[in-house]
Amino acid sequence: MQAFTRLNGLVVPLDRANVDTDAIIPKQFLKSIKRTGYGPFLFDEWRYEDVGQPEMDCSNRPIRKDFVLNQPRYQGAEIMLARENFGCGSSREHAPWAILDYGISCIIAPSFADIFYNNCFKNGILPVVLKDEEVDLLFSETQSQEGYKLDVDLEAQTVTTPSGQVFTFEVDDFRKHCLLNGLDDIGLTLQQADKIKAYEERRKQEAPWLFA
Amino acid sequence: MAKTLFEKVWQQHVVSENDDGSVLLYIDRQLVHEVTSPQAFEGLRIAGRKPWRVNASVATPDHNVPTTGLEHGITDPVAKTQVQALDSNCDEFGITEFKMGDKRQGIVHVVGPEQGLVLPGMTVVCGDSHTSTHGALAAIAMGIGTSEVEHVLATQTLIQKKPKVMRINVEGELPVGITGKDVALYIIGEIGTAGGTGYAIEFAGSAIRALSMEGRMSLCNMTIEAGARCGMVAVDDKTIDYVKGRPYAPTGEMWDKAEAAWRDLHSDADAVFDKEVHLNAADIEPQVTWGTSPEMVVPISASTPSLDDAKDEVQREGWSRAFAYMGLKENTPMQSIAIDKVFIGSCTNARIEDLREAAAMVKGRKVADHVKLTMVVPGSGLVKAQAESEGLDKIFTDAGFEWRAPGCSMCLAMNADRLEAGERCASTSNRNFEGRQGAGGRTHLVSPAMAAAAAIKGHFVDIRDWN
């Protein structure tokens, strides 16, 4: 997994609540057995006028010019600003894979759906929860200032605006540690293999039907 | 100290605790399907790892499988590759799989309980958000992403932070015709699609106890639509009776020991919850969604809302977009909305009881002329066989429904079953998101009886008036 430490990046605002993972990456792209290549199909139905198919060349597809990812001023965005309950619905990890493959590695919102939030940390994406009024302010600044960038520092747990306003956010210690160092948590868990085996031995006595 | 049901099951599965309050949680059962597992198996191969406990996982293909023309196999080459990848991964790693053609194959959340693969008090995971279904058996069951599928395969554990626990009490008697699906939609309408975020939910109260196991599964299934990863119902006689005699359930002395342990799987009388919600069963009418989020739901006697009723600007924007997408206006009576297609199926509503309730509505009647497609997709090969032995297939086909083979089908339209742009569907599935059942398709979520009645009349109707 790629590490996330600090990012000074262009912000794209997606001003909709309850954005679901079906919208982030529609079902037809879930047939792939790879982890990569989803970026061109991120928000496929909102981004293009035609219906996308896996592995198609997207360079000549008709785009919906009013959709924010298609606006010239937001090309190259690395941070997405979103509304409440972002990433709700399906558990598909293809959603964070598509977001990362597109080039976004930080999402700021007032709240995230649980499974999506968790999936982000497994893929080098930092989901940042800020207060409603802070997110409102960032939306208004992003929309009014072309080329608007934010500085996101995971170590310090801060988001800093171009004018120097600083917002802090919470993140679990373990998730932070893994993300800062790009750690594979399976390897870390396997360091506790003896504890898992001891647990199993004990449970086989208590609840043998679970091991039949 | 008094404990909640959730805490009892959680504590039995803690392997170790980390400094930041997260725990290593042991997972008893992992259900596997073709869409969210190939990258996990590939991860194991790249790292040279083997499954920690191979008989803890069981697989079946469901999302991509065709529901018609099975003699031709899967004609979509990309979908075929994915199902073949599941077959070869299960063969390579030694995981039990109910493959296509096996009568036990079906939707993973129908197959798990049906086979007794899910037992009370288990921790159950699957790379699918509707894993919450299995909480109906007093299991902690939750959907996970593919990285966690790989983590469970490799370690039989997950690193988890304990969620808060909410109890939703539904007291009183459910009116005639009100199902677990209506209760689920009503709750989502009350607490919102993010109402359960950060919580595990226990559904309690006399109305929940009165639900059948199938009804409880429909309810727990849609817990994720309320934002919670996990929903549970305490063990009672119905739970025990449901599990007994299932192929993978314990037998003999082992059964007695298990049953004794399962009888304790309820919240203690004075257990404290982080949040409690109280609802009256008598208030619940048949529910219909009008918009593009499950919380955009109203009773069948009502109309679509007025934009002026939105609580804030963000919701008003969302409603406005939903009206445009759904091709509907404010204040439209739900019963005036005509439909093009009907889908009866999905992990929410494709169990035998669901099919019986739908069949009871259509028996001796015909699908309305203008309705283009009505399909019934049983949840598993065994549900299909059971329904056929009761003659339900004949009732449906006589009325003009198509009787299909098991799979996820038009719930998410990964196979050929889908809506075309602009088509309106009465669906027993769980998500009415934009494009969910096909790009541009318009989904209204309802119970099986409501979907069946809509097929006959060609528009939504109040099944309480049905005779």
Side-chain angles (χ1 to χ4, degrees):
Chain A
M1 183 179 85
Q2 76 176 47
F4 184 105
T5 50
R6 187 171 179 168
L7 173 66
N8 186 276
L10 186 70
V11 183
V12 58
L14 185 65
D15 199 357
R16 299 183 182 201
N18 298 312
V19 170
D20 59 77
T21 53
D22 273 84
I24 296 172
I25 186 82
K27 83 277 290 168
Q28 62 268 37
F29 305 105
L30 273 52
K31 294 175 186 177
S32 167
I33 56 173
K34 296 182 289 188
R35 278 178 187 260
T36 54
Y38 300 98
F41 309 108
L42 176 68
F43 294 113
D44 199 80
E45 285 177 25
W46 293 348
R47 203 163 144 199
Y48 302 101
E49 286 179 8
D50 61 345
V51 177
Q53 292 304 328
E55 293 176 29
M56 77 192 291
D57 176 8
C58 292
S59 55
N60 293 314
R61 292 177 63 191
I63 60 166
R64 297 183 194 272
K65 290 199 175 86
D66 54 340
F67 183 58
V68 34
L69 282 191
N70 289 329
Q71 293 172 18
R73 60 181 282 197
Y74 297 121
Q75 298 312 299
E78 294 173 276
I79 296 170
M80 178 170 279
L81 194 57
R83 291 292 187 185
E84 66 190 42
N85 201 25
F86 187 84
C88 61
S90 159
S91 63
R92 59 188 70 170
E93 202 163 313
H94 311 69
W97 293 339
I99 288 168
L100 190 68
D101 198 52
Y102 178 85
I104 289 168
S105 58
C106 176
I107 308 166
I108 300 171
S111 62
F112 292 88
D114 287 343
I115 303 178
F116 177 84
Y117 183 79
N118 197 43
N119 283 341
C120 283
F121 285 98
K122 309 288 181 187
N123 291 284
I125 299 173
L126 176 65
V128 172
V129 176
L130 293 182
K131 296 187 186 78
D132 281 329
E133 58 272 24
E134 294 168 346
V135 172
D136 283 343
L137 180 114
L138 294 181
F139 264 102
S140 119
E141 290 193 350
T142 305
Q143 283 156 351
S144 63
Q145 301 171 35
E146 199 159 332
Y148 188 82
K149 285 186 165 188
L150 286 170
D151 188 85
V152 181
D153 186 339
L154 176 55
E155 181 64 55
Q157 297 179 210
T158 55
V159 174
T160 308
T161 70
S163 64
Q165 252 190 302
V166 180
F167 303 121
T168 58
F169 60 89
E170 295 296 318
V171 57
D172 289 344
D173 291 347
F174 181 72
R175 284 175 163 148
K176 178 178 174 179
H177 172 72
C178 288
L179 200 49
L180 280 173
N181 297 291
L183 294 176
D184 157 18
D185 58 8
I186 294 177
L188 291 174
T189 298
L190 286 172
Q191 290 173 9
Q192 300 198 57
D194 289 347
K195 285 185 185 164
I196 302 172
K197 284 178 189 155
Y199 171 86
E200 285 181 327
E201 288 312 311
R202 179 166 63 75
R203 278 297 274 174
K204 276 178 194 167
Q205 303 303 316
E206 291 170 2
W209 59 88
L210 294 173
F211 295 85
Chain B
M1 202 185 114
K3 288 182 196 159
T4 66
L5 166 62
F6 179 86
E7 281 162 347
K8 287 180 184 178
V9 180
W10 178 273
Q11 284 182 6
Q12 285 170 352
H13 290 86
V14 173
V15 172
S16 65
E17 287 186 41
N18 301 322
D19 297 338
D20 70 344
S22 62
V23 305
L24 197 59
L25 192 74
Y26 191 79
I27 303 301
D28 295 315
R29 177 70 70 211
Q30 172 151 243
L31 301 169
V32 179
H33 65 84
E34 78 277 21
V35 176
T36 56
S37 67
Q39 297 87 351
F41 284 113
E42 184 63 14
L44 287 187
R45 262 192 296 273
I46 290 167
R49 291 174 178 137
K50 295 259 179 268
W52 179 274
R53 183 156 79 83
V54 79
N55 67 356
S57 295
V58 177
T60 192
D62 54 8
H63 284 63
N64 274 299
V65 298
T67 59
T68 184
L70 291 184
E71 62 280 11
H72 308 301
I74 304 179
T75 50
D76 173 352
V78 194
K80 189 173 180 174
T81 301
Q82 198 167 53
V83 173
Q84 284 173 340
L86 180 67
D87 292 349
S88 63
N89 284 325
C90 288
D91 292 346
E92 177 186 341
F93 289 102
I95 290 170
T96 300
E97 182 195 2
F98 306 139
K99 293 187 165 78
M100 280 180 68
D102 187 319
K103 66 179 189 304
R104 298 169 294 179
Q105 178 268 332
I107 306 171
V108 72
H109 306 310
V110 174
V111 170
E114 183 175 80
Q115 288 296 318
L117 288 162
V118 175
L119 299 172
M122 273 186 163
T123 44
V124 181
V125 296
C126 174
D128 190 286
S129 60
H130 291 110
T131 309
S132 56
T133 308
H134 309 282
L137 290 115
I140 291 182
M142 55 195 174
I144 56 177
T146 298
S147 294
E148 289 189 320
V149 171
E150 184 182 342
H151 195 281
V152 174
L153 282 169
T155 71
Q156 212 52 49
T157 63
L158 276 179
I159 300 158
Q160 290 289 298
K161 199 140 200 183
K162 191 167 133 188
K164 291 177 284 184
V165 186
M166 179 193 307
R167 180 161 65 181
I168 297 182
N169 305 277
V170 188
E171 295 291 351
E173 200 173 330
L174 288 171
V176 174
I178 302 303
T179 64
K181 178 64 162 287
D182 298 300
V183 177
L185 287 169
Y186 180 78
I187 288 171
I188 295 161
E190 290 293 309
I191 72 172
T193 50
T197 303
Y199 288 92
I201 295 178
E202 179 179 344
F203 298 103
S206 55
I208 305 301
R209 287 194 297 276
L211 288 174
S212 64
M213 288 307 292
E214 284 87 349
R216 294 176 190 180
M217 286 185 225
S218 301
L219 172 61
C220 289
N221 172 276
M222 291 193 69
T223 312
I224 186 66
E225 267 61 65
R229 291 173 80 177
C230 166
M232 303 174 88
V233 176
V235 165
D236 61 9
D237 288 344
K238 286 181 188 169
T239 323
I240 302 290
D241 292 345
Y242 179 88
V243 175
K244 195 163 194 174
R246 305 246 161 217
Y248 286 84
T251 54
E253 234 176 274
M254 191 87 97
W255 169 267
D256 296 338
K257 202 172 171 185
E259 189 191 335
W262 297 342
R263 290 283 178 188
D264 184 49
L265 295 176
H266 53 80
S267 291
D268 294 330
D270 43 356
V272 178
F273 292 81
D274 297 293
K275 186 172 182 181
E276 297 231 37
V277 174
H278 297 275
L279 301 169
N280 292 322
D283 295 342
I284 307 178
E285 290 185 42
Q287 305 285 306
V288 192
T289 63
W290 61 267
T292 54
S293 163
E295 71 182 15
M296 297 176 183
V297 65
V298 290
I300 183 63
S301 62
S303 299
T304 58
S306 161
L307 286 176
D308 293 338
D309 298 337
K311 67 176 186 209
D312 57 28
E313 205 43 45
V314 173
Q315 186 174 62
R316 191 186 169 94
E317 280 282 302
W319 284 7
S320 180
R321 197 177 299 115
F323 278 127
Y325 182 85
M326 294 297 289
L328 291 174
K329 293 191 164 59
E330 301 171 76
N331 307 311
T332 305
M334 292 311 292
Q335 297 186 54
S336 71
I337 299 172
I339 51 150
D340 304 303
K341 288 183 175 175
V342 174
F343 171 62
I344 297 175
S346 87
C347 58
T348 314
N349 281 132
R351 296 177 184 83
I352 189 67
E353 181 185 274
D354 301 315
L355 304 191
R356 286 177 189 145
E357 286 169 0
M361 306 303 287
V362 307
K363 191 171 187 176
R365 295 181 162 95
K366 296 279 180 206
V367 169
D369 287 343
H370 75 269
V371 178
K372 292 185 234 174
L373 173 71
T374 53
M375 53 196 288
V376 183
V377 185
S380 72
L382 290 170
V383 169
K384 182 167 185 276
Q386 173 68 30
E388 288 170 356
S389 77
E390 296 177 18
L392 304 185
D393 57 324
K394 187 80 173 36
I395 292 173
F396 285 119
T397 53
D398 283 353
F401 280 80
E402 293 188 19
W403 179 249
R404 298 292 188 90
C408 298
S409 183
M410 207 161 73
C411 173
L412 86 167
M414 271 190 83
N415 69 357
D417 309 333
R418 65 174 69 102
L419 298 181
E420 301 303 325
E423 284 182 340
R424 190 179 301 285
C425 182
S427 179
T428 67
S429 54
N430 40 58
R431 291 193 172 129
N432 51 350
F433 298 154
E434 286 184 24
R436 170 77 177 184
Q437 294 192 292
R442 295 161 173 169
T443 303
H444 296 268
L445 304 175
V446 286
S447 72
M450 285 285 289
I456 302 301
K457 295 293 181 188
H459 57 87
F460 292 108
V461 292
D462 190 338
I463 56 164
R464 294 171 300 178
D465 303 333
W466 198 256
N467 51 45

